[in-house]
Amino acid sequence: MNITIVGSGYVGLVTGTCFAEMGNHVTCIDIDQEKIDKLKQGIIPIYEPGLDTMVLKNVKNGSLHFSTNLEDGLRNSKVVFIAVGTPMGQDGSADLQYVLSVASEIGQKIQKPMAVVDKSTVPVGTADRVADVIQKELNKRQENIEFHVVSNPEFLKEGAAIQDFMKPDRIVIGADHEIAFQTMRDLYAPFTHNHDRMIEMDIRSAEMTKYVANAMLATKISFMNEIANICELVDADVNQVRIGIGSDSRIGYSFIYPGSGYGGSCFPKDVKALKKIAEDKGYSAGLISSVEEVNDKQKLVIAEKVVKRFGEDLSGKTFAIWGLAFKPGTDDMREAPSIYIAKELVRRGAKIKAYDPKAMHEAKTFYLKDTSNITYYDSKYETLGEANAMILLTEWKEFRSPDFEELKMKLIEPVIFDGRNQYSHLRLEEKGLEYYQIGKRTEFSNGQ
């Protein structure tokens, strides 16, 4: 099938590349000429395991093309995906200017019947607005071309997006016409060959499903972090509590690991957007608001532990930070706890020595570029020299089994703050290390 993907960012590029991998002829469109030129050369603007190899393979075999001209794609396509950004507005709502701009251009240039698929995460009712915009442009042209707007939300995890797309848990399709449903069945048939994972529903329910899915996962994270904080107060161990409740099949173990809060491009934005959707209808979403409030506080819990251990004034202190990305497997630092923790420690006079396998360029050029007293290193052990403590903030595999004797030798003081509870099972105190984690009370060496 001939497909056009408008927007060659994270979602658009992964979507287009995976469709091309299954034998479709895909044209990815973007208004950024520099990005398109780099993609044609095989230079990928994001880090996602396996994506660069798959892009190069499909460009080489002619299945995947890149262009800045929408007409190049629409000319022969049966389906056009809208996969542009929906940044968060100041009031928490999703900004639809790019989605509606693409819809307008589709209306101006469409020449044949087509399915127009919203792949971007958009508020309930967006498909209606997209259809209205396209129809208005067709009316101006005095053209009568059949089109159907479809909602097909993405459920890609950063760091595992290729796997998620090629072997999906579910494929949600929202449409209002059998022609649209059949087109999407044909398109996704190779991905559902062994098991039918397609769920068909009305458009508004499909639009709502994406927000609810992310809000549910964010709720589990904030709930467990709230429990972790309570555990510290009553001298319980949240790591044991997690095992105790996770063994209940109704609860399970997914997303109940305590830590420094969630970040990334989806959870923070989608929780805020869902809250705003409710507010616009006159409903106060108390639970959703609490999820956000707990998460905002949780991002500074590790910084608060550092202050309890070393004092309010951190002048003259240096801290090694292992991990800057909001999660392993990505270079994404959007809303990462590391941003808030690093800034808070620097605000109190500390110096930071940081290392991350993939996200240091993002930190240097954007997220922490205006934060002074941060130095970046090429390996985790290089950060330890002359540091008063190590702070773990991203659970990259290379951090799972470090040489603790080397940590003790290089750090000024053998202190570890674990923002992801990666070492909670190792009894580090018996190895001569001061170990502070989330959800288990530890007496600070200064008596607090």
Side-chain angles (χ1 to χ4, degrees):
M1 191 179 294
N2 289 326
I3 304 167
T4 296
I5 313 283
V6 185
S8 297
Y10 185 84
V11 173
L13 188 56
V14 171
T15 299
T17 303
C18 289
F19 277 135
E21 179 73 7
M22 286 301 196
N24 296 288
H25 188 276
V26 180
T27 302
C28 290
I29 307 296
D30 202 282
I31 61 172
D32 187 337
Q33 184 68 59
E34 182 180 359
K35 179 192 288 186
I36 292 298
D37 291 341
K38 287 182 177 180
L39 284 168
K40 288 179 178 179
Q41 300 169 39
I43 302 172
I44 311 302
I46 58 173
Y47 173 72
E48 178 62 38
L51 182 60
D52 52 354
T53 302
M54 193 178 286
V55 169
L56 287 169
K57 170 188 172 184
N58 285 283
V59 168
K60 187 175 181 179
N61 68 24
S63 298
L64 184 60
H65 300 266
F66 299 99
S67 175
T68 56
N69 187 353
L70 181 58
E71 286 182 281
D72 290 345
L74 293 182
R75 191 174 298 114
N76 298 309
S77 289
K78 189 173 182 179
V79 180
V80 55
F81 283 84
I82 301 177
V84 295
T86 53
M88 185 170 59
Q90 289 186 345
D91 61 355
S93 63
D95 186 345
L96 294 178
Q97 63 172 309
Y98 304 114
V99 170
L100 298 179
S101 176
V102 171
S104 178
E105 190 173 1
I106 290 172
Q108 294 164 17
K109 297 179 178 178
I110 188 173
Q111 298 294 335
K112 52 183 283 193
M114 189 172 297
V116 179
V117 184
D118 285 334
K119 198 68 171 172
S120 304
T121 301
V122 293
V124 177
T126 298
D128 294 337
R129 296 180 65 182
V130 168
D132 288 345
V133 169
I134 294 173
Q135 189 59 56
K136 285 178 182 177
E137 294 297 336
L138 289 173
N139 292 342
K140 290 178 186 177
R141 294 166 51 193
Q142 297 183 332
E143 294 279 4
N144 184 23
I145 300 173
E146 184 178 9
F147 71 94
H148 301 282
V149 178
V150 176
S151 175
N152 174 216
E154 55 87 11
F155 299 99
L156 305 177
K157 298 187 295 291
E158 292 188 54
I162 301 295
Q163 175 77 6
D164 287 346
F165 199 100
M166 301 300 282
K167 297 180 178 180
D169 291 329
R170 77 287 207 196
I171 301 167
V172 173
I173 304 296
D176 60 5
H177 199 286
E178 178 58 27
I179 290 176
F181 279 123
Q182 190 57 53
T183 298
M184 300 306 287
R185 290 180 201 127
D186 293 344
L187 178 59
Y188 276 108
F191 302 92
T192 60
H193 182 68
N194 295 323
H195 182 70
D196 185 7
R197 301 179 187 275
M198 186 169 289
I199 303 170
E200 299 179 358
M201 60 184 71
D202 65 89
I203 294 174
R204 288 183 172 235
S205 295
E207 291 171 331
M208 188 67 169
T209 296
K210 174 57 187 287
Y211 282 114
V212 174
N214 281 348
M216 182 69 227
L217 297 176
T219 299
K220 293 185 74 173
I221 293 170
S222 281
F223 173 81
M224 205 62 202
N225 283 332
E226 185 104 286
I227 295 302
N229 296 334
I230 297 172
C231 282
E232 289 195 29
L233 296 174
V234 301
D235 202 16
D237 183 348
V238 73
N239 302 295
Q240 295 182 38
V241 173
R242 176 184 60 80
I243 294 170
I245 66 170
S247 58
D248 186 328
S249 60
R250 296 169 301 173
I251 298 173
Y253 289 104
S254 297
F255 286 84
I256 62 167
Y257 289 81
S260 295
Y262 59 78
S265 63
C266 294
F267 288 7
K269 180 168 69 74
D270 292 353
V271 167
K272 286 181 182 293
L274 185 56
K275 186 173 71 170
K276 184 63 168 58
I277 289 170
E279 288 174 357
D280 287 347
K281 296 298 181 180
Y283 182 79
S284 178
L287 178 59
I288 303 300
S289 298
S290 295
V291 168
E292 184 179 39
E293 291 168 9
V294 169
N295 192 62
D296 289 344
K297 293 177 183 177
Q298 195 69 19
K299 288 180 179 179
L300 288 174
V301 165
I302 283 292
E304 291 166 1
K305 290 179 180 290
V306 171
V307 170
K308 285 183 179 179
R309 170 61 176 79
F310 289 99
E312 296 281 345
D313 184 0
L314 298 177
S315 299
K317 304 296 184 183
T318 299
F319 299 98
I321 289 182
W322 286 11
L324 297 169
F326 87 94
K327 61 178 282 186
T330 181
D331 61 354
D332 194 345
M333 281 187 64
R334 282 173 284 188
E335 295 296 319
S338 63
I339 300 170
Y340 299 87
I341 292 167
K343 288 184 176 181
E344 176 63 14
L345 299 182
V346 168
R347 185 184 72 81
R348 291 177 175 272
K351 293 181 179 179
I352 302 295
K353 303 174 76 174
Y355 168 72
D356 187 283
K358 295 296 178 182
M360 289 199 293
H361 177 74
E362 296 292 308
K364 292 176 189 177
T365 60
F366 190 74
Y367 294 100
L368 293 171
K369 70 175 182 178
D370 296 324
T371 304
S372 59
N373 291 326
I374 299 183
T375 308
Y376 300 91
Y377 291 82
D378 294 328
S379 75
K380 58 183 181 288
Y381 293 118
E382 285 184 77
T383 66
L384 301 176
E386 300 182 352
N388 293 87
M390 185 273 276
I391 303 171
L392 177 72
L393 295 179
T394 312
E395 59 272 38
W396 287 97
K397 287 182 180 178
E398 69 171 272
F399 299 156
R400 290 183 182 177
S401 298
D403 185 336
F404 290 109
E405 290 302 317
E406 186 163 357
L407 263 78
K408 285 171 58 178
M409 181 179 67
K410 289 191 172 183
L411 289 170
I412 294 174
E413 302 178 64
V415 181
I416 294 176
F417 294 93
D418 188 349
R420 295 299 178 186
N421 284 17
Q422 284 291 286
Y423 309 136
S424 60
H425 63 293
L426 295 177
R427 301 180 183 275
L428 293 184
E429 297 85 353
E430 296 178 5
K431 300 178 186 290
L433 288 151
E434 280 184 51
Y435 177 61
Y436 304 102
Q437 57 179 297
I438 289 173
K440 183 179 180 181
R441 187 164 73 191
T442 305
E443 176 121 357
F444 290 89
S445 65
N446 58 10
Q448 293 194 49

